[in-house]
Amino acid sequence: MFLAAPALGFGPFTVDLETRMLTRHGREVRLSGKAFELLVLLAQARPRALSRKELQDALWPSTFVADANLSNLVAEIREALDDVARAPVFIRTVHRFGYAFCGDVARAGGVAAPQMADVACWIEWGRLRFPLAVGRHVIGRDQGAEVRIDAATVSRRHAQLIVTSDRAVLQDFGSKNGTFRGDERVISSTPLADGDTLRVGTVLVTFHMRSPAGTTLTAGPSAT
């Protein structure tokens, strides 16, 4: 799943998730589509190492591929980043396991993107994942929204999630097309459970929350 900040920066590089473009000091660096996805997957999980199986399942779901395919993508990324396997700055090989992103990542504007240990919950929309720490997070089409869903039925500032260490509450901003938890329209503060299906306008997303200990909670019943 992609880490859905509008852009991520590390060293002289910027990854723009909307244009699917990698740039170095503002100039495009060519990457294949799969290599771009792999780079984002590793940056999203930092500092956690991802196994080869995790990466293969994410990049080629329900498809058998040779191990060399993943190795070739890693080599392509390293060449694009001028990274060296024996002295990595960005992509570290974890012997007999997989790979990890070892650089520092920031959102566009210099704001540090949340690391996995800081993530209290996340929203999944298709292949995108929006990791959220404790705080208030806007859902909408606005460029500054933490959960940016660029769809015609979604308002610029459509709704918000209020996240604490042990719960999350969904509020609608009086949007034209509404916000729903399952079939229930959100008209007041609505607590969420792990696994809830949400509808923002006509866009379906899924809410997930981690337990205080950092493990994913067992999915509760979703009002669908």
XYZ file of all heavy atoms in Angstrom, residues 118-121 133-135 162-168 209-214 217:
143
model
N 4.558 5.312 15.147
C 3.721 6.431 15.571
C 2.303 6.337 15.037
O 1.453 7.139 15.409
C 4.336 7.755 15.084
C 5.732 7.976 15.644
O 5.953 7.606 16.813
O 6.584 8.515 14.922
N 2.041 5.397 14.159
C 0.736 5.307 13.515
C -0.280 4.707 14.478
O -0.092 3.611 15.002
C 0.819 4.457 12.229
C -0.571 4.200 11.661
C 1.689 5.167 11.202
N -1.375 5.452 14.742
C -2.442 4.957 15.605
C -3.510 4.245 14.791
O -4.147 3.312 15.259
C -3.057 6.116 16.391
N -3.727 4.721 13.556
C -4.742 4.113 12.701
C -4.427 4.471 11.259
O -3.499 5.238 10.984
C -6.144 4.597 13.086
S -6.370 6.388 12.926
N -1.376 9.529 12.860
C -0.966 9.538 14.257
C -2.082 10.165 15.099
O -3.131 10.565 14.584
C 0.336 10.318 14.403
N -1.869 10.247 16.389
C -2.838 10.893 17.277
C -3.003 12.354 16.861
O -2.028 13.054 16.579
C -2.362 10.790 18.740
C -3.220 11.657 19.646
C -2.391 9.332 19.200
N -4.248 12.818 16.781
C -4.529 14.196 16.391
C -5.778 14.302 15.537
O -6.577 13.364 15.464
N -10.829 12.321 14.474
C -10.156 12.739 15.699
C -9.613 11.471 16.345
O -10.379 10.597 16.758
C -11.121 13.478 16.642
C -11.706 14.714 15.943
C -10.399 13.896 17.920
C -12.763 15.428 16.749
N -8.294 11.370 16.407
C -7.635 10.137 16.839
C -6.948 10.359 18.180
O -6.183 11.313 18.356
C -6.600 9.684 15.791
C -5.928 8.390 16.225
C -7.252 9.515 14.428
N -7.225 9.481 19.138
C -6.491 9.443 20.396
C -5.729 8.122 20.447
O -5.749 7.349 19.489
C -7.438 9.562 21.606
O -8.283 8.410 21.651
C -8.297 10.818 21.497
N -5.083 7.860 21.561
C -4.267 6.647 21.646
C -5.091 5.376 21.645
O -4.565 4.292 21.352
C -3.403 6.683 22.916
O -4.236 6.748 24.071
N -6.393 5.470 21.984
C -7.199 4.254 22.082
C -8.540 4.314 21.357
O -9.317 3.367 21.421
C -7.456 3.909 23.549
C -8.208 5.021 24.283
O -8.410 6.099 23.688
O -8.583 4.795 25.450
N -8.817 5.406 20.629
C -10.087 5.471 19.907
C -9.990 6.484 18.772
O -9.083 7.320 18.733
C -11.248 5.825 20.842
C -11.221 7.251 21.368
C -12.169 7.433 22.549
N -13.547 7.174 22.191
C -14.450 8.121 21.940
N -14.091 9.403 21.974
N -15.687 7.809 21.653
N -10.940 6.403 17.858
C -11.033 7.360 16.758
C -12.501 7.703 16.547
O -13.373 6.840 16.626
C -10.428 6.785 15.487
N -7.393 0.329 12.945
C -6.777 0.941 14.122
C -5.882 -0.058 14.806
O -6.187 -1.258 14.862
C -7.852 1.434 15.093
C -7.311 2.307 16.213
S -8.634 3.201 17.067
C -7.643 4.292 18.111
N -4.771 0.431 15.354
C -3.835 -0.417 16.078
C -4.192 -0.398 17.555
O -4.727 0.580 18.064
C -2.401 0.084 15.897
C -1.976 0.158 14.450
C -0.627 0.834 14.313
N 0.460 -0.036 14.700
C 1.102 -0.853 13.871
N 0.758 -0.901 12.593
N 2.084 -1.611 14.268
N -3.878 -1.487 18.246
C -4.063 -1.530 19.693
C -2.999 -0.675 20.363
O -1.973 -0.353 19.758
C -3.957 -2.970 20.194
O -2.614 -3.408 20.117
N -3.200 -0.259 21.627
C -2.174 0.530 22.314
C -0.816 -0.137 22.334
O 0.207 0.524 22.360
C -2.749 0.667 23.731
C -4.223 0.549 23.565
C -4.409 -0.451 22.427
N -0.794 -1.475 22.281
C 0.492 -2.194 22.300
C 1.162 -2.205 20.948
O 2.272 -2.630 20.801
C 0.287 -3.633 22.773
N 0.423 -1.712 19.913
C 1.005 -1.628 18.582
C 0.599 -2.735 17.662
O 1.012 -2.773 16.521
N -5.811 -4.423 16.013
C -6.957 -4.956 16.706
C -7.713 -5.929 15.813
O -7.725 -5.797 14.595
C -7.902 -3.809 17.104
C -7.376 -2.817 18.131
C -8.323 -1.636 18.218
C -7.265 -3.475 19.502
